[in-house]
Amino acid sequence: MSEADSDGTDVRRAVVLDYLAHGLSDDGRPQYAKSPAGYALDVEDFRLYQVAFDEDTRLTIGSEVVIEPTAERDAVVECQEVEYEELSSGAQTELEYVVEDLVEENEQRFVDFYNDAQPITLRLHQLNLLPGIGKKLRNGILEERKRKPFESFEELSERVSGLHDPGDVLVERILEELRDDDLKYRTFVGRQQDGE
């Protein structure tokens, strides 16, 4: 989650998806002029970034780096938002694992999605955007959360018949939102969390 710095500014972090010590392949400059580069995924709103790294910093895939504010950056020299198709093949491969880790590490945030999801229109509910969740499962979730809010993925799958892997369902939806530019509704990607 983003944390407030001592002066109250939000610190936004991202997880490194790919680290290219010798720079981007499409960078036309000579090898000696290229700086380390790579791709990263925002831990809050799952935005994708192409990043130039500080020459003296050695990073690995999975490292966390500060994206914003600029004054708080330690390893990142510059970054720009990119689309899924612009990622290196290594970053695309790593993406699924990083999203799984983020959902697992922030379980309460994602359990709260099941607790707080609301209707989008008269006929469509946020829960219906999740892969494999139709009318029956949606209604099961809504009934159970009226009785008592869910506290974990395990409890969710125990209380809602047919919902076996609630975390995996969210991972699948987040990946779908990252890969498909033409989705009408986005629940997780590119949206600030409450309180930011």
Side-chain angles (χ1 to χ4, degrees):
M1 297 295 153
S2 79
E3 55 218 47
D5 191 25
S6 54
D7 65 0
T9 19
D10 274 342
V11 176
R12 299 194 60 79
R13 298 183 177 280
V15 177
V16 176
L17 297 171
D18 198 2
Y19 180 76
L20 307 162
H22 303 293
L24 301 172
S25 59
D26 61 357
D27 184 341
R29 296 179 296 174
Q31 193 64 49
Y32 67 86
K34 294 180 184 181
S35 60
Y39 297 93
L41 175 71
D42 191 300
V43 299
E44 285 292 316
D45 63 13
F46 300 102
R47 292 175 198 257
L48 296 166
Y49 294 101
Q50 179 179 304
V51 185
F53 294 112
D54 181 271
E55 294 276 344
D56 302 324
T57 308
R58 290 292 169 247
L59 295 167
T60 58
I61 292 170
S63 300
E64 255 190 38
V65 294
V66 174
I67 297 288
E68 295 293 335
T70 309
E72 293 291 320
R73 291 179 181 168
D74 46 2
V76 173
V77 177
E78 57 184 84
C79 68
Q80 67 181 29
E81 204 169 328
V82 293
E83 298 295 325
Y84 175 80
E85 298 76 35
E86 298 172 74
L87 294 177
S88 64
S89 59
Q92 288 181 359
T93 302
E94 196 63 29
L95 185 62
E96 184 173 345
Y97 302 110
V98 172
V99 171
E100 282 173 5
D101 288 346
L102 288 172
V103 169
E104 192 176 302
E105 290 165 14
N106 299 289
E107 181 175 350
Q108 192 55 55
R109 168 185 165 193
F110 294 102
V111 168
D112 286 345
F113 171 77
Y114 284 101
N115 287 324
D116 303 332
Q118 297 297 313
I120 296 171
T121 67
L122 290 173
R123 294 178 179 265
L124 184 63
H125 198 283
Q126 280 183 312
L127 292 170
N128 292 120
L129 298 177
L130 301 178
I133 300 218
K135 191 175 180 179
K136 185 178 177 188
L137 270 179
R138 178 201 64 207
N139 291 343
I141 293 166
L142 295 175
E143 285 302 313
E144 280 297 321
R145 79 180 194 188
K146 278 183 203 168
R147 293 188 183 101
K148 179 179 157 244
F150 302 108
E151 293 180 16
S152 68
F153 288 145
E154 185 180 351
E155 184 187 342
L156 243 161
S157 37
E158 285 171 6
R159 287 173 49 194
V160 180
S161 175
L163 183 61
H164 303 295
D165 297 307
D168 292 348
V169 169
L170 293 173
V171 168
E172 222 177 297
R173 176 61 191 189
I174 292 165
L175 291 170
E176 184 180 351
E177 289 184 23
L178 284 165
R179 292 174 180 146
D180 189 349
D181 290 345
D182 299 330
L183 283 181
K184 185 172 182 178
Y185 299 107
R186 294 189 182 280
T187 305
F188 301 102
V189 175
R191 295 178 58 134
Q192 298 290 325
Q193 298 305 306
D194 296 336
E196 287 188 30

